[in-house]
Amino acid sequence: MDKDKKKKTIYDLAVLAEASPSAVSSVLNGTWEKRRISKKLAEKVMKIAENQGYNLNAQASLLRRDKSNIVGMIVPKYDNRYFGEIAEQFEAMARSKGMFPVVTCTQRDPELEFEAAKELVGYQVECLISTGATDPDRIAAFCKAAGVQALNLDLPGKDAPSVISDNYAGARDLTSLILRRCRSDLGWEGPLRFIGGRLSDHNTAARLDGFMDAHKELGLKVPNENIQASGYSAKAAWDSLKDFRPFGPTGIFVNSTISLEGVVRWHSQLSEGTENIRFGCFDRDPFGKFLPGNVGMVEQDVLQMLEVLFELIGQPNLENKVTLIPCNLEEF
Amino acid sequence: MDKDKKKKTIYDLAVLAEASPSAVSSVLNGTWEKRRISKKLAEKVMKIAENQGYNLNAQASLLRRDKSNIVGMIVPKYDNRYFGEIAEQFEAMARSKGMFPVVTCTQRDPELEFEAAKELVGYQVECLISTGATDPDRIAAFCKAAGVQALNLDLPGKDAPSVISDNYAGARDLTSLILRRCRSDLGWEGPLRFIGGRLSDHNTAARLDGFMDAHKELGLKVPNENIQASGYSAKAAWDSLKDFRPFGPTGIFVNSTISLEGVVRWHSQLSEGTENIRFGCFDRDPFGKFLPGNVGMVEQDVLQMLEVLFELIGQPNLENKVTLIPCNLEEF
DNA sequence: AATGTTTGCACAATCGATTGAGCAAGGTGC
DNA sequence: GCACCTTGCTCAATCGATTGTGCAAACATT
């Protein structure tokens, strides 16, 4: 059975079944009724395949077929629940629709993003989803040249349809919540600080708009130095705050759970006044709720985003428009 | 250039370069010097390939070659930092070694684990790594029949080499720490409760051994009802505790960050006595440090595990032994 | 000039599965 | 008994790249 290490092929099975390779192939890929193979032979072949531990060579099969059913996705990181859930749900949904998902993690590195995209196209993906990509348009252009559908998730692009969260509204609502809680809990009116992210990034820019508008609604001005979108790491957030010793009450809008790690570190190291600080975070983490001072988190609706995304997969001639998915704000 | 949607092949390039497909192939895969193709032709072909946006068809290439350089990994979930880091680091290390990583997430579903493993073998992976798999031996047997190397990570198996954390020592040390802190912070001696995981799971069993031995060292008996390894979800942990209203001081050994979510929820909902509770968790989360009552977390040494793992990849005739990697205990 | 060597490439088989076309045997209708 | 259909398969081309073999031309050697 497994005497020799080589994989069984349909030719091996054909010999054993005393049938032709094409008959074996059609039995194994389920087209045997269409091809008028007798039930008797089909069962014989299937039994032999089972006994021999036959496994389809996907490379050979895909080479010949026109549809691959492979859907590719690139993701920046697995270091937060948001991208983790995206990857997990994407795989589950793809499988439930009979597709084969391939997800690869590109570390927020633009070159790696592009290289990985090329590799996935080489694997004949039918659709390539760029999640949170630095330069989605470069990937979209490459896909277009190769005749592969491109879609953007989380961060939008001009050259492919995009499905993203409504960052503006989510941030505006979160800002309003933090301001309200600052007033009710601390008797303090604002303005808040904005920590984390990068202004060149579409989502951070949209969130900052929401942040500013929520202040405007209350007639509040935000001084420039309150905006500290200095990057995506915990350390960057910590660096932004490390010399800040609040006189009295303070509120902070935290732009990601990674930034939150830095903020909480700063908060926990303050010698005094920690009870006079309120913050909220864009993106959710199950432990966030238990962090002292945290008044709420924005949960992006991953399921809904992916549902919309999967409706686009396989559709020809789509407009390159951006679909906004509302977020859920959880108050603590 | 990209007028028609079809992908360019080496045959298209051959026509444009007025050369043979085999010459084009060897230029593009770097064997042209070995095959005595002139530098002049090589440069011409490379330029044309660039202009035409040529991309290798991996299926065709792999079908013909003997080595695929693909390494596959199955992972249960992306909902915690541990598996997230494993996936991310695995991909990064594989790439740095010139391999192509394919990671797929199997939701702790034994059937899906096996199906995904078969699919990856169908994609001609050279090595398949089962991470935290429910039934690694079934996968190993399948791999063996197909002549594919199998390795286990995080959870051991009998039929393939395994690289796992030293769960026993990690748990023993964590238990000792919690007991020590219960004594110093609360003046209480134990015994602790053990929450989360499943006793049928090797790692939980090993951790429970460590937990028991740490108690034994101090001459402490642990009553059976203190062991509540009732599953891997936050809800299961919460269910274990929800009717528990501690009289006075209490300490808890939490068996995973997912279980910790449930424990913290219970803790935060107690009406009184929360300051008399200490706990520690096997596995690390960056927010764990800031949770009130948390005295320490065990960090599994993902980097070291993967380094050992990568040394095994490609080695023939390995013993099916288990390599234990020490954990790092962080005290808060 | 005859022979040997090197250079530079092309030819054709091959990997394993898929699929349109075709064909022999058996059955049906008149 | 002949024409026609159905059944149940087989044949052979094909997908795109790789690779062992072969061969003509250029060059070198004696």
Side-chain angles (χ1 to χ4, degrees):
Chain A
M1 190 165 314
D2 49 24
K3 286 158 207 150
D4 52 304
K5 317 294 292 175
K6 288 320 301 160
K7 292 177 175 129
K8 300 291 174 192
T9 71
I10 53 168
Y11 300 92
D12 300 326
L13 302 186
V15 171
L16 292 169
E18 295 173 305
S20 71
S22 60
V24 173
S25 171
S26 66
V27 169
L28 296 174
N29 65 28
T31 58
W32 57 278
E33 289 186 295
K34 202 175 308 169
R35 288 177 72 82
R36 296 200 309 254
I37 302 296
S38 66
K39 193 163 196 171
K40 190 174 152 213
L41 178 56
E43 280 167 356
K44 180 177 179 190
V45 167
M46 292 192 283
K47 202 170 104 196
I48 292 177
E50 178 81 14
N51 288 341
Q52 296 292 316
Y54 172 80
N55 196 224
L56 180 71
N57 181 320
Q59 254 80 49
S61 173
L62 290 171
L63 177 58
R64 190 55 173 72
R65 279 192 316 208
D66 45 347
K67 280 185 59 98
S68 76
N69 270 341
I70 306 180
V71 281
M73 174 180 263
I74 62 169
V75 168
K77 300 284 286 176
Y78 290 133
D79 67 356
N80 60 65
R81 299 297 275 255
Y82 175 55
F83 288 130
E85 195 185 345
I86 286 178
E88 218 176 295
Q89 285 292 341
F90 172 73
E91 289 192 16
M93 288 174 73
R95 266 190 244 279
S96 78
K97 291 179 198 307
M99 308 171 182
F100 184 78
V102 180
V103 181
T104 192
C105 172
T106 51
Q107 313 273 357
R108 294 194 197 284
D109 172 346
E111 272 318 303
L112 187 50
E113 280 171 10
F114 190 64
E115 284 310 309
K118 286 212 305 200
E119 252 170 349
L120 290 173
V121 170
Y123 278 89
Q124 313 308 109
V125 296
E126 283 176 11
C127 178
L128 178 60
I129 293 143
S130 301
T131 308
T134 317
D135 193 353
D137 290 340
R138 184 170 168 216
I139 295 174
F142 180 83
C143 286
K144 191 176 169 196
V148 170
Q149 184 183 25
L151 295 172
N152 300 316
L153 186 66
D154 180 62
L155 275 176
K158 295 187 316 299
D159 299 339
S162 306
V163 179
I164 68 172
S165 283
D166 188 345
N167 291 283
Y168 169 82
R172 193 194 51 205
D173 295 348
L174 177 62
T175 307
S176 298
L177 167 62
I178 306 171
L179 283 168
R180 175 162 60 72
R181 288 289 294 272
C182 281
R183 180 202 301 248
S184 66
D185 294 3
L186 311 176
W188 179 73
E189 302 292 338
L192 308 179
R193 286 168 173 259
F194 185 104
I195 299 286
R198 228 180 280 283
L199 291 179
S200 56
D201 161 9
H202 168 279
N203 289 358
T204 295
R207 292 172 195 175
L208 185 59
D209 282 350
F211 175 86
M212 296 305 268
D213 282 1
H215 280 82
K216 211 174 289 174
E217 278 174 16
L218 297 175
L220 289 169
K221 283 235 156 77
V222 184
N224 276 339
E225 63 268 26
N226 277 28
I227 313 301
Q228 294 180 285
S230 51
Y232 273 111
S233 68
K235 183 165 186 323
W238 188 76
D239 284 341
S240 303
L241 288 170
K242 67 170 184 288
D243 297 324
F244 175 47
R245 295 281 170 283
F247 288 110
T250 291
I252 303 174
F253 178 107
V254 189
N255 195 25
S256 74
T257 49
I258 290 291
S259 300
L260 182 61
E261 291 175 27
V263 170
V264 172
R265 188 176 146 210
W266 164 80
H267 184 263
S268 71
Q269 288 173 341
L270 281 176
S271 50
E272 52 177 359
T274 53
E275 69 287 356
N276 281 329
I277 296 173
R278 292 294 178 275
F279 57 87
C281 182
F282 206 108
D283 274 351
R284 206 188 89 88
D285 184 281
F287 293 116
K289 173 171 188 170
F290 308 109
L291 299 173
N294 194 0
V295 299
M297 303 188 100
V298 173
E299 183 176 27
Q300 303 190 59
D301 192 342
V302 170
L303 221 55
Q304 183 62 26
M305 291 171 78
L306 288 177
E307 247 148 40
V308 172
L309 187 82
F310 271 93
E311 272 170 23
L312 302 179
I313 293 178
Q315 300 278 339
N317 305 321
L318 289 168
E319 276 179 89
N320 296 338
K321 66 175 184 188
V322 176
T323 306
L324 289 183
I325 308 295
C327 302
N328 300 315
L329 174 61
E330 189 184 5
E331 178 174 358
F332 306 138
Chain B
M1 189 167 314
D2 50 24
K3 286 156 204 151
D4 53 303
K5 318 293 293 174
K6 289 319 302 158
K7 291 179 177 128
K8 300 290 172 191
T9 71
I10 53 168
Y11 300 92
D12 301 324
L13 301 186
V15 171
L16 292 169
E18 294 173 303
S20 73
S22 60
V24 173
S25 171
S26 65
V27 168
L28 296 174
N29 67 27
T31 58
W32 57 278
E33 290 185 294
K34 202 175 307 169
R35 289 177 71 82
R36 297 201 308 256
I37 303 295
S38 65
K39 195 163 196 174
K40 192 174 148 208
L41 178 57
E43 281 168 356
K44 181 178 178 186
V45 167
M46 291 193 280
K47 205 169 101 193
I48 292 177
E50 178 82 11
N51 289 339
Q52 297 292 316
Y54 172 80
N55 197 223
L56 179 72
N57 181 320
Q59 255 82 49
S61 173
L62 290 171
L63 177 57
R64 190 56 173 71
R65 280 193 315 209
D66 45 347
K67 281 188 57 102
S68 75
N69 270 341
I70 306 179
V71 280
M73 173 180 264
I74 63 169
V75 167
K77 300 283 285 176
Y78 290 134
D79 67 357
N80 60 64
R81 298 296 276 255
Y82 174 56
F83 288 131
E85 196 185 343
I86 286 178
E88 222 176 292
Q89 286 292 341
F90 173 73
E91 290 193 15
M93 289 175 71
R95 267 190 245 279
S96 78
K97 291 178 198 308
M99 309 171 181
F100 183 79
V102 180
V103 181
T104 192
C105 170
T106 50
Q107 313 273 358
R108 294 194 195 284
D109 172 348
E111 272 317 303
L112 187 50
E113 280 171 10
F114 190 65
E115 284 310 309
K118 287 211 305 199
E119 253 172 345
L120 290 174
V121 170
Y123 279 90
Q124 313 306 113
V125 297
E126 283 176 9
C127 177
L128 179 59
I129 293 143
S130 301
T131 308
T134 316
D135 193 354
D137 290 338
R138 184 168 168 217
I139 295 174
F142 181 82
C143 285
K144 190 175 170 196
V148 170
Q149 185 184 23
L151 295 172
N152 299 318
L153 186 65
D154 180 62
L155 276 176
K158 296 188 315 300
D159 299 339
S162 306
V163 179
I164 69 171
S165 284
D166 187 346
N167 291 283
Y168 168 80
R172 192 195 51 205
D173 296 348
L174 177 63
T175 307
S176 299
L177 168 63
I178 305 171
L179 283 168
R180 178 161 57 72
R181 290 289 294 271
C182 280
R183 179 204 300 249
S184 65
D185 295 3
L186 311 176
W188 179 72
E189 302 290 337
L192 308 179
R193 286 168 172 255
F194 185 103
I195 300 288
R198 229 180 280 283
L199 290 179
S200 57
D201 161 8
H202 167 279
N203 290 356
T204 294
R207 292 174 195 175
L208 185 59
D209 282 350
F211 175 86
M212 297 305 267
D213 281 1
H215 279 82
K216 210 173 291 173
E217 278 173 18
L218 296 175
L220 290 167
K221 281 235 157 77
V222 183
N224 276 338
E225 63 268 27
N226 276 27
I227 312 301
Q228 294 180 288
S230 51
Y232 273 110
S233 68
K235 183 165 185 324
W238 187 77
D239 284 342
S240 303
L241 288 170
K242 67 170 186 286
D243 296 325
F244 176 47
R245 294 281 170 280
F247 289 110
T250 292
I252 303 174
F253 178 106
V254 188
N255 195 25
S256 74
T257 50
I258 290 291
S259 299
L260 182 61
E261 291 175 27
V263 170
V264 171
R265 187 176 148 211
W266 164 78
H267 183 261
S268 71
Q269 287 173 342
L270 283 178
S271 50
E272 53 178 358
T274 55
E275 69 286 355
N276 280 331
I277 296 172
R278 292 295 178 274
F279 56 87
C281 182
F282 205 106
D283 275 351
R284 207 189 87 88
D285 184 282
F287 293 116
K289 175 173 187 168
F290 308 109
L291 299 172
N294 195 0
V295 299
M297 304 188 99
V298 172
E299 182 176 26
Q300 303 190 56
D301 193 342
V302 170
L303 221 55
Q304 183 61 26
M305 291 171 79
L306 289 177
E307 246 148 40
V308 172
L309 187 82
F310 271 93
E311 271 169 23
L312 301 179
I313 293 178
Q315 301 278 340
N317 305 323
L318 289 168
E319 276 181 89
N320 295 338
K321 66 175 184 188
V322 176
T323 306
L324 289 183
I325 308 295
C327 303
N328 300 315
L329 174 59
E330 189 184 4
E331 178 173 0
F332 306 136

PDB file of all heavy atoms in Angstrom, chain B residues 305-326:
ATOM      1  N   MET B 305      10.841  27.719  19.380  1.00  0.00           N
ATOM      2  CA  MET B 305      10.126  26.553  18.874  1.00  0.00           C
ATOM      3  C   MET B 305      10.269  26.463  17.359  1.00  0.00           C
ATOM      4  O   MET B 305      10.535  25.397  16.798  1.00  0.00           O
ATOM      5  CB  MET B 305       8.634  26.647  19.232  1.00  0.00           C
ATOM      6  CG  MET B 305       8.346  26.503  20.716  1.00  0.00           C
ATOM      7  SD  MET B 305       6.616  26.884  21.108  1.00  0.00           S
ATOM      8  CE  MET B 305       5.819  25.361  20.620  1.00  0.00           C
ATOM      9  N   LEU B 306      10.101  27.598  16.706  1.00  0.00           N
ATOM     10  CA  LEU B 306      10.160  27.567  15.245  1.00  0.00           C
ATOM     11  C   LEU B 306      11.577  27.339  14.746  1.00  0.00           C
ATOM     12  O   LEU B 306      11.786  26.707  13.712  1.00  0.00           O
ATOM     13  CB  LEU B 306       9.588  28.863  14.674  1.00  0.00           C
ATOM     14  CG  LEU B 306       8.076  28.981  14.823  1.00  0.00           C
ATOM     15  CD1 LEU B 306       7.580  30.316  14.304  1.00  0.00           C
ATOM     16  CD2 LEU B 306       7.376  27.854  14.078  1.00  0.00           C
ATOM     17  N   GLU B 307      12.539  27.839  15.501  1.00  0.00           N
ATOM     18  CA  GLU B 307      13.908  27.590  15.061  1.00  0.00           C
ATOM     19  C   GLU B 307      14.223  26.093  15.100  1.00  0.00           C
ATOM     20  O   GLU B 307      14.809  25.542  14.166  1.00  0.00           O
ATOM     21  CB  GLU B 307      14.901  28.381  15.923  1.00  0.00           C
ATOM     22  CG  GLU B 307      15.589  29.441  15.089  1.00  0.00           C
ATOM     23  CD  GLU B 307      15.925  30.679  15.893  1.00  0.00           C
ATOM     24  OE1 GLU B 307      16.340  30.537  17.058  1.00  0.00           O
ATOM     25  OE2 GLU B 307      15.760  31.796  15.343  1.00  0.00           O
ATOM     26  N   VAL B 308      13.819  25.462  16.169  1.00  0.00           N
ATOM     27  CA  VAL B 308      14.012  24.010  16.259  1.00  0.00           C
ATOM     28  C   VAL B 308      13.222  23.313  15.151  1.00  0.00           C
ATOM     29  O   VAL B 308      13.721  22.411  14.481  1.00  0.00           O
ATOM     30  CB  VAL B 308      13.576  23.498  17.647  1.00  0.00           C
ATOM     31  CG1 VAL B 308      13.593  21.987  17.685  1.00  0.00           C
ATOM     32  CG2 VAL B 308      14.489  24.077  18.717  1.00  0.00           C
ATOM     33  N   LEU B 309      12.006  23.767  14.944  1.00  0.00           N
ATOM     34  CA  LEU B 309      11.167  23.170  13.913  1.00  0.00           C
ATOM     35  C   LEU B 309      11.828  23.238  12.538  1.00  0.00           C
ATOM     36  O   LEU B 309      11.873  22.250  11.792  1.00  0.00           O
ATOM     37  CB  LEU B 309       9.825  23.893  13.867  1.00  0.00           C
ATOM     38  CG  LEU B 309       8.778  23.272  12.948  1.00  0.00           C
ATOM     39  CD1 LEU B 309       8.096  22.120  13.661  1.00  0.00           C
ATOM     40  CD2 LEU B 309       7.745  24.295  12.526  1.00  0.00           C
ATOM     41  N   PHE B 310      12.346  24.411  12.201  1.00  0.00           N
ATOM     42  CA  PHE B 310      12.936  24.569  10.873  1.00  0.00           C
ATOM     43  C   PHE B 310      14.198  23.744  10.694  1.00  0.00           C
ATOM     44  O   PHE B 310      14.564  23.426   9.575  1.00  0.00           O
ATOM     45  CB  PHE B 310      13.196  26.047  10.566  1.00  0.00           C
ATOM     46  CG  PHE B 310      12.020  26.722   9.934  1.00  0.00           C
ATOM     47  CD1 PHE B 310      11.087  27.398  10.694  1.00  0.00           C
ATOM     48  CD2 PHE B 310      11.822  26.646   8.563  1.00  0.00           C
ATOM     49  CE1 PHE B 310       9.984  27.995  10.108  1.00  0.00           C
ATOM     50  CE2 PHE B 310      10.728  27.249   7.964  1.00  0.00           C
ATOM     51  CZ  PHE B 310       9.808  27.926   8.743  1.00  0.00           C
ATOM     52  N   GLU B 311      14.823  23.408  11.805  1.00  0.00           N
ATOM     53  CA  GLU B 311      15.977  22.522  11.655  1.00  0.00           C
ATOM     54  C   GLU B 311      15.539  21.114  11.285  1.00  0.00           C
ATOM     55  O   GLU B 311      16.304  20.364  10.693  1.00  0.00           O
ATOM     56  CB  GLU B 311      16.793  22.496  12.947  1.00  0.00           C
ATOM     57  CG  GLU B 311      17.833  23.607  12.930  1.00  0.00           C
ATOM     58  CD  GLU B 311      18.479  23.778  14.291  1.00  0.00           C
ATOM     59  OE1 GLU B 311      18.458  22.814  15.078  1.00  0.00           O
ATOM     60  OE2 GLU B 311      18.982  24.880  14.551  1.00  0.00           O
ATOM     61  N   LEU B 312      14.325  20.768  11.636  1.00  0.00           N
ATOM     62  CA  LEU B 312      13.839  19.429  11.313  1.00  0.00           C
ATOM     63  C   LEU B 312      13.327  19.323   9.887  1.00  0.00           C
ATOM     64  O   LEU B 312      13.337  18.254   9.280  1.00  0.00           O
ATOM     65  CB  LEU B 312      12.707  19.048  12.281  1.00  0.00           C
ATOM     66  CG  LEU B 312      13.074  19.055  13.765  1.00  0.00           C
ATOM     67  CD1 LEU B 312      11.860  18.684  14.596  1.00  0.00           C
ATOM     68  CD2 LEU B 312      14.219  18.100  14.038  1.00  0.00           C
ATOM     69  N   ILE B 313      12.891  20.455   9.353  1.00  0.00           N
ATOM     70  CA  ILE B 313      12.299  20.412   8.011  1.00  0.00           C
ATOM     71  C   ILE B 313      13.330  19.953   6.990  1.00  0.00           C
ATOM     72  O   ILE B 313      14.426  20.492   6.922  1.00  0.00           O
ATOM     73  CB  ILE B 313      11.728  21.795   7.620  1.00  0.00           C
ATOM     74  CG1 ILE B 313      10.540  22.132   8.510  1.00  0.00           C
ATOM     75  CG2 ILE B 313      11.322  21.825   6.149  1.00  0.00           C
ATOM     76  CD1 ILE B 313       9.931  23.497   8.247  1.00  0.00           C
ATOM     77  N   GLY B 314      12.951  18.980   6.224  1.00  0.00           N
ATOM     78  CA  GLY B 314      13.837  18.487   5.171  1.00  0.00           C
ATOM     79  C   GLY B 314      14.759  17.375   5.618  1.00  0.00           C
ATOM     80  O   GLY B 314      15.410  16.738   4.789  1.00  0.00           O
ATOM     81  N   GLN B 315      14.848  17.115   6.928  1.00  0.00           N
ATOM     82  CA  GLN B 315      15.716  16.030   7.413  1.00  0.00           C
ATOM     83  C   GLN B 315      15.026  14.686   7.208  1.00  0.00           C
ATOM     84  O   GLN B 315      13.891  14.515   7.636  1.00  0.00           O
ATOM     85  CB  GLN B 315      15.972  16.199   8.914  1.00  0.00           C
ATOM     86  CG  GLN B 315      16.616  17.510   9.280  1.00  0.00           C
ATOM     87  CD  GLN B 315      18.109  17.476   9.075  1.00  0.00           C
ATOM     88  OE1 GLN B 315      18.694  16.400   9.014  1.00  0.00           O
ATOM     89  NE2 GLN B 315      18.712  18.637   8.930  1.00  0.00           N
ATOM     90  N   PRO B 316      15.738  13.759   6.619  1.00  0.00           N
ATOM     91  CA  PRO B 316      15.139  12.424   6.452  1.00  0.00           C
ATOM     92  C   PRO B 316      15.324  11.588   7.715  1.00  0.00           C
ATOM     93  O   PRO B 316      16.233  11.841   8.512  1.00  0.00           O
ATOM     94  CB  PRO B 316      15.922  11.841   5.290  1.00  0.00           C
ATOM     95  CG  PRO B 316      17.244  12.528   5.343  1.00  0.00           C
ATOM     96  CD  PRO B 316      17.082  13.833   6.056  1.00  0.00           C
ATOM     97  N   ASN B 317      14.456  10.606   7.873  1.00  0.00           N
ATOM     98  CA  ASN B 317      14.612   9.576   8.915  1.00  0.00           C
ATOM     99  C   ASN B 317      14.770  10.115  10.328  1.00  0.00           C
ATOM    100  O   ASN B 317      15.647   9.687  11.080  1.00  0.00           O
ATOM    101  CB  ASN B 317      15.831   8.697   8.608  1.00  0.00           C
ATOM    102  CG  ASN B 317      15.745   8.110   7.227  1.00  0.00           C
ATOM    103  OD1 ASN B 317      14.650   7.758   6.786  1.00  0.00           O
ATOM    104  ND2 ASN B 317      16.859   8.042   6.540  1.00  0.00           N
ATOM    105  N   LEU B 318      13.945  11.061  10.681  1.00  0.00           N
ATOM    106  CA  LEU B 318      14.014  11.577  12.042  1.00  0.00           C
ATOM    107  C   LEU B 318      13.297  10.630  12.986  1.00  0.00           C
ATOM    108  O   LEU B 318      12.328   9.964  12.623  1.00  0.00           O
ATOM    109  CB  LEU B 318      13.348  12.949  12.106  1.00  0.00           C
ATOM    110  CG  LEU B 318      14.098  14.080  11.419  1.00  0.00           C
ATOM    111  CD1 LEU B 318      13.197  15.309  11.306  1.00  0.00           C
ATOM    112  CD2 LEU B 318      15.347  14.424  12.200  1.00  0.00           C
ATOM    113  N   GLU B 319      13.795  10.597  14.197  1.00  0.00           N
ATOM    114  CA  GLU B 319      13.046   9.904  15.251  1.00  0.00           C
ATOM    115  C   GLU B 319      11.792  10.698  15.583  1.00  0.00           C
ATOM    116  O   GLU B 319      11.801  11.928  15.519  1.00  0.00           O
ATOM    117  CB  GLU B 319      13.879   9.889  16.528  1.00  0.00           C
ATOM    118  CG  GLU B 319      14.894   8.793  16.645  1.00  0.00           C
ATOM    119  CD  GLU B 319      15.576   8.971  17.999  1.00  0.00           C
ATOM    120  OE1 GLU B 319      15.067   8.397  18.977  1.00  0.00           O
ATOM    121  OE2 GLU B 319      16.580   9.704  18.054  1.00  0.00           O
ATOM    122  N   ASN B 320      10.770  10.001  16.001  1.00  0.00           N
ATOM    123  CA  ASN B 320       9.540  10.704  16.380  1.00  0.00           C
ATOM    124  C   ASN B 320       9.586  11.146  17.833  1.00  0.00           C
ATOM    125  O   ASN B 320       8.756  10.780  18.641  1.00  0.00           O
ATOM    126  CB  ASN B 320       8.340   9.796  16.155  1.00  0.00           C
ATOM    127  CG  ASN B 320       8.171   9.483  14.692  1.00  0.00           C
ATOM    128  OD1 ASN B 320       8.659  10.232  13.842  1.00  0.00           O
ATOM    129  ND2 ASN B 320       7.493   8.402  14.405  1.00  0.00           N
ATOM    130  N   LYS B 321      10.582  11.941  18.136  1.00  0.00           N
ATOM    131  CA  LYS B 321      10.694  12.321  19.546  1.00  0.00           C
ATOM    132  C   LYS B 321      10.132  13.715  19.785  1.00  0.00           C
ATOM    133  O   LYS B 321       9.910  14.487  18.850  1.00  0.00           O
ATOM    134  CB  LYS B 321      12.147  12.235  19.992  1.00  0.00           C
ATOM    135  CG  LYS B 321      13.045  13.239  19.318  1.00  0.00           C
ATOM    136  CD  LYS B 321      14.443  13.162  19.910  1.00  0.00           C
ATOM    137  CE  LYS B 321      15.310  14.259  19.282  1.00  0.00           C
ATOM    138  NZ  LYS B 321      16.714  14.135  19.644  1.00  0.00           N
ATOM    139  N   VAL B 322       9.914  14.002  21.041  1.00  0.00           N
ATOM    140  CA  VAL B 322       9.323  15.281  21.430  1.00  0.00           C
ATOM    141  C   VAL B 322      10.425  16.185  21.960  1.00  0.00           C
ATOM    142  O   VAL B 322      11.179  15.804  22.848  1.00  0.00           O
ATOM    143  CB  VAL B 322       8.259  15.064  22.521  1.00  0.00           C
ATOM    144  CG1 VAL B 322       7.710  16.400  22.987  1.00  0.00           C
ATOM    145  CG2 VAL B 322       7.134  14.173  22.003  1.00  0.00           C
ATOM    146  N   THR B 323      10.532  17.375  21.377  1.00  0.00           N
ATOM    147  CA  THR B 323      11.494  18.352  21.892  1.00  0.00           C
ATOM    148  C   THR B 323      10.751  19.375  22.744  1.00  0.00           C
ATOM    149  O   THR B 323       9.774  19.981  22.291  1.00  0.00           O
ATOM    150  CB  THR B 323      12.186  19.093  20.728  1.00  0.00           C
ATOM    151  OG1 THR B 323      12.758  18.132  19.848  1.00  0.00           O
ATOM    152  CG2 THR B 323      13.259  20.026  21.248  1.00  0.00           C
ATOM    153  N   LEU B 324      11.200  19.538  23.972  1.00  0.00           N
ATOM    154  CA  LEU B 324      10.553  20.488  24.883  1.00  0.00           C
ATOM    155  C   LEU B 324      11.285  21.825  24.858  1.00  0.00           C
ATOM    156  O   LEU B 324      12.503  21.868  25.006  1.00  0.00           O
ATOM    157  CB  LEU B 324      10.581  19.942  26.313  1.00  0.00           C
ATOM    158  CG  LEU B 324       9.682  18.761  26.632  1.00  0.00           C
ATOM    159  CD1 LEU B 324       9.789  18.418  28.110  1.00  0.00           C
ATOM    160  CD2 LEU B 324       8.239  19.055  26.255  1.00  0.00           C
ATOM    161  N   ILE B 325      10.539  22.881  24.681  1.00  0.00           N
ATOM    162  CA  ILE B 325      11.129  24.227  24.676  1.00  0.00           C
ATOM    163  C   ILE B 325      10.698  24.939  25.962  1.00  0.00           C
ATOM    164  O   ILE B 325       9.502  25.037  26.241  1.00  0.00           O
ATOM    165  CB  ILE B 325      10.637  25.025  23.461  1.00  0.00           C
ATOM    166  CG1 ILE B 325      10.848  24.242  22.163  1.00  0.00           C
ATOM    167  CG2 ILE B 325      11.301  26.392  23.410  1.00  0.00           C
ATOM    168  CD1 ILE B 325      12.284  24.000  21.810  1.00  0.00           C
ATOM    169  N   PRO B 326      11.648  25.441  26.724  1.00  0.00           N
ATOM    170  CA  PRO B 326      11.286  26.128  27.971  1.00  0.00           C
ATOM    171  C   PRO B 326      10.453  27.380  27.715  1.00  0.00           C
ATOM    172  O   PRO B 326      10.604  28.028  26.680  1.00  0.00           O
ATOM    173  CB  PRO B 326      12.652  26.525  28.566  1.00  0.00           C
ATOM    174  CG  PRO B 326      13.663  25.708  27.853  1.00  0.00           C
ATOM    175  CD  PRO B 326      13.105  25.383  26.506  1.00  0.00           C
TER     176      PRO B 326
END
